[in-house]
Amino acid sequence: MTIEKPPVETLTEADAAEELALLAAELAHHDTLYHAKDAPEISDADYDALKRRNEEIEARFPALVREDSLSRKVGAAPSGIFKAVVHSRPMLSLDNTFSDEDVRDFVHSVYRFLGVLPDESIAFTAEPKIDGLSMSLRYEAGKLVSAATRGDGTTGENVTANIRTIPDIPQTLPSGVPEIVEVRGEVYMGKSDFLALNEQMLALGKQTYVNPRNTAAGSLRQLDPTVTATRKLRFFAYAWGEMSEMPADTQLGMVKAFEGWGFPVNPLMQRFSSIEAIIAHYRDIGLNRPDLDYDIDGVVYKVDRLDLQARLGFRSRSPRWATAHKFPAEQAFTTVEKIDIQVGRTGALTPVARLTPITVGGVVVTNATLHNADYIEGIGNGGERIREPDHDIRIGDTVIVQRAGDVIPQVLDVVMEKREPGSVRYEFPKTCPVCGSHAVRERNEKTGKLDSVTRCTGGFVCRAQAVEHLKHFVSRNAFDIEGLAPSRWISSSKRRMTSSGSRPRRISSRWKSARASPY
Ligand code: IVH
């Protein structure tokens, strides 16, 4: 059965974000089936329809373009909103490494390729991988003539007018620079500027933005540069394209030259010869990560000597002389403002920590699941201790929050030094916050232990349980009933009916995802 989707013009920002997340996963799934398994499940036409839908939503909500969107994969064509620019040299991607072992393999592969014994004779630079948008800036006779996004790596979008509004980016270079200079780097939005922008949006009663990267992307893709100018975008230079003359013969030398020409460069870039030193720098940067005013998602290692880079060359999409050592899930400190209880279909009471908003790994986190009463106390599902005995989670506590990919953020631990002297233990409710019925923890008959879940005993008397049951009943996994929806979806369908006269759409998948995610 084909799913009828509402016109893009009727989507709210929240609808769009939710649908883009589903589309990213769906398209990735079909890509794998098609390319890796040779076993497509849908026709090319259906695949193209999904892809078009993704593009249409992204064109309307550029700030919501996801990191994992099909349109961000190398190979995606520019949107057509801006003029196309063919890059003089392709803008490539980086291979990723995730463990110390991968880093050793990378370094050894460089030595092997060059036919040298791994003896620490080859130097590598290590610098933060900025979570922004790569940009190629072309200067002719010292004047900025064009600025282009990466696009599909070969052809990008001409965003020169918008780039000219960024104070970090020089419009002219000092005399004596080569005739043609293409400086490449990352445009990003600082975390503090992003949070301030969201506060402004809240004060104006408008939708807040999801994360600094997408906001930077959306800000750059404005058709009106005066809008871009109001967003505080920044820039770090770290690479280059065409150069009529090279100012240096090492990676570090090039970056220092850029600095001399007036470009901001990252102060954490350093050069090392041993694998251990590289990895130690990665750890240092990781420790400093929460204090940096910009999001980073790893550390990039590059062979320092440019002649060696040239010998190593490229694979199809990435250089052999560089790799990105990615960070695991990011953690951040914030405070628990309150603890709310959500009641599920089976009556399970799930505590949710409402947090002072914080960006964690590029996403604003305001809620974290606390799972159940035991978790708040620091006890795991098997009855084991997961935190020190006095590290129970309390309202007002400063806590460490972790986010990994798209999973619901977790509260990992409490920062005891910051606990307020008068703070009190959180008391898990003994009654259901929705219907007032008794909330109980059942005892496992076999083990005699208390179940970790506290349940409302109200059954259908409880409005929350009744609504969740109804949602489940009509959902795709059960009776798959079309046209029955929470009022916010109904109202958008009604709007659509008046504007286009078409029928209400199917909503079951949205309910499913709304239930799976309490934030
Ligand atoms: S070097 C030929 N250095 O990461 C490789 N890239 O995953 C040139 N990025 O498209 C890229 N910080 O947008 C390099 N310090 C850094 C970086 C960096 C962020 C981005 C860049 C690139 C992507 C690859």
Side-chain angles (χ1 to χ4, degrees):
M1 186 198 287
T2 30
I3 302 173
E4 195 194 333
K5 293 189 171 148
V8 171
E9 318 80 76
T10 65
L11 296 181
T12 63
E13 196 161 351
D15 290 351
E18 198 177 325
E19 196 173 336
L20 287 176
L22 293 173
L23 281 165
E26 216 170 343
L27 284 161
H29 169 72
H30 291 305
D31 271 348
T32 311
L33 289 176
Y34 184 89
H35 293 293
K37 305 201 172 147
D38 257 351
E41 272 177 1
I42 58 171
S43 68
D44 287 357
D46 282 352
Y47 177 85
D48 286 340
L50 287 176
K51 198 170 140 196
R52 254 195 326 275
R53 174 86 181 167
N54 195 50
E55 283 164 5
E56 284 168 13
I57 301 177
E58 287 185 346
R60 183 158 169 243
F61 297 99
L64 296 185
V65 176
R66 297 168 58 90
E67 178 89 51
D68 58 352
S69 165
L70 185 73
S71 66
R72 278 184 52 106
K73 307 230 164 92
V74 169
S79 68
I81 299 174
F82 294 91
K83 281 205 180 111
V85 177
V86 177
H87 298 303
S88 55
R89 307 264 186 286
M91 288 183 83
L92 295 166
S93 185
L94 289 168
D95 260 8
N96 291 327
T97 44
F98 295 95
S99 64
D100 295 359
E101 212 35 55
D102 289 349
V103 176
R104 280 180 235 284
D105 287 350
F106 160 71
V107 171
H108 288 146
S109 73
V110 166
Y111 277 92
R112 213 172 28 249
F113 192 93
L114 295 172
V116 183
L117 281 174
D119 58 358
E120 303 194 355
S121 58
I122 298 176
F124 291 82
T125 56
E127 69 203 65
K129 183 170 188 297
I130 316 297
D131 196 11
L133 297 110
S134 44
M135 189 61 53
S136 188
L137 307 169
R138 185 177 174 92
Y139 294 81
E140 288 173 4
K143 301 249 174 321
L144 177 66
V145 292
S146 95
T149 62
R150 182 169 73 169
D152 63 5
T154 307
T155 309
E157 289 180 323
N158 186 332
V159 289
T160 316
N162 292 346
I163 284 294
R164 287 193 197 282
T165 69
I166 302 178
D168 268 359
I169 296 181
Q171 306 273 329
T172 52
L173 301 183
S175 58
V177 299
E179 176 63 23
I180 294 172
V181 166
E182 264 183 31
V183 172
R184 292 178 176 176
E186 206 84 352
V187 171
Y188 66 95
M189 181 177 273
K191 290 185 199 170
S192 52
D193 288 330
F194 169 74
L195 291 173
L197 176 65
N198 263 355
E199 298 221 327
Q200 259 178 27
M201 299 302 282
L202 274 179
L204 295 170
K206 292 192 184 164
Q207 278 280 334
T208 50
Y209 294 96
V210 178
N211 64 41
R213 205 209 78 83
N214 288 355
T215 314
S219 306
L220 257 193
R221 302 185 77 254
Q222 295 291 327
L223 288 172
D224 177 0
T226 59
V227 177
T228 314
T230 65
R231 309 282 170 78
K232 296 193 170 132
L233 298 180
R234 315 220 45 191
F235 182 75
F236 278 129
Y238 54 69
W240 57 94
E242 185 180 352
M243 301 286 290
S244 55
E245 247 176 89
M246 296 293 277
D249 54 11
T250 60
Q251 185 75 33
L252 194 62
M254 289 297 288
V255 171
K256 292 254 176 264
F258 296 157
E259 189 176 19
W261 295 346
F263 292 93
V265 299
N266 193 282
L268 300 174
M269 179 179 189
Q270 281 192 43
R271 179 164 51 193
F272 302 97
S273 290
S274 82
I275 298 177
E276 270 53 51
I278 289 174
I279 292 174
H281 193 50
Y282 165 86
R283 298 225 191 294
D284 268 1
I285 292 179
L287 287 174
N288 278 319
R289 190 180 178 195
D291 299 328
L292 298 175
D293 192 32
Y294 44 88
D295 281 323
I296 61 174
D297 56 356
V299 174
V300 183
Y301 308 132
K302 299 171 186 168
V303 169
D304 190 42
R305 269 176 50 186
L306 303 188
D307 59 334
L308 297 185
Q309 287 189 4
R311 275 174 58 196
L312 284 153
F314 298 87
R315 291 183 218 90
S316 63
R317 289 175 169 193
S318 56
R320 267 191 210 94
W321 43 264
T323 191
H325 189 181
K326 299 297 277 281
F327 288 128
E330 207 200 343
Q331 301 177 356
F333 296 99
T334 187
T335 38
V336 176
E337 293 186 346
K338 63 178 182 147
I339 296 177
D340 282 341
I341 301 286
Q342 293 183 334
V343 185
R345 174 164 58 94
T346 59
L349 305 193
T350 305
V352 177
R354 306 293 180 202
L355 307 166
T356 306
I358 178 94
T359 56
V360 190
V363 168
V364 180
V365 170
T366 48
N367 304 304
T369 179
L370 296 176
H371 303 284
N372 52 49
D374 278 352
Y375 190 87
I376 296 180
E377 285 299 316
I379 296 164
N381 273 344
E384 75 287 6
R385 277 239 146 256
I386 50 173
R387 295 190 296 276
E388 296 293 313
D390 53 348
H391 288 212
D392 58 297
I393 298 165
R394 304 181 183 188
I395 295 167
D397 272 349
T398 299
V399 289
I400 305 172
V401 178
Q402 172 169 294
R403 214 190 116 248
D406 277 341
V407 299
I408 301 167
Q410 308 275 329
V411 171
L412 288 189
D413 206 354
V414 176
V415 183
M416 296 305 284
E417 304 76 55
K418 297 219 168 166
R419 176 167 276 174
E420 298 289 331
S423 85
V424 285
R425 267 183 188 270
Y426 175 73
E427 213 176 302
F428 205 87
K430 297 197 170 42
T431 54
C432 170
V434 175
C435 70
S437 304
H438 276 302
V440 294
R441 287 179 67 169
E442 282 147 23
R443 205 168 276 282
N444 183 311
E445 281 172 11
K446 282 193 195 133
T447 61
K449 284 190 184 152
L450 276 183
D451 191 9
S452 57
V453 179
T454 307
R455 245 176 253 285
C456 160
T457 54
F460 278 110
V461 167
C462 178
R463 222 187 80 240
Q465 285 191 59
V467 169
E468 292 303 322
H469 264 290
L470 179 61
K471 286 182 187 174
H472 178 70
F473 178 78
V474 301
S475 73
R476 197 187 288 183
N477 289 341
F479 279 75
D480 200 9
I481 296 174
E482 294 186 19
L484 187 60
S487 58
R488 73 184 175 116
W489 303 120
I490 298 260
S491 62
S492 88
S493 302
K494 272 192 190 144
R495 266 205 308 281
R496 197 160 58 79
M497 281 179 79
T498 42
S499 58
S500 69
S502 50
R503 288 175 47 231
R505 66 199 161 89
R506 170 159 133 163
I507 44 72
S508 46
S509 66
R510 291 169 181 285
W511 271 3
K512 194 171 137 218
S513 61
R515 196 178 57 245
S517 154
Y519 56 99

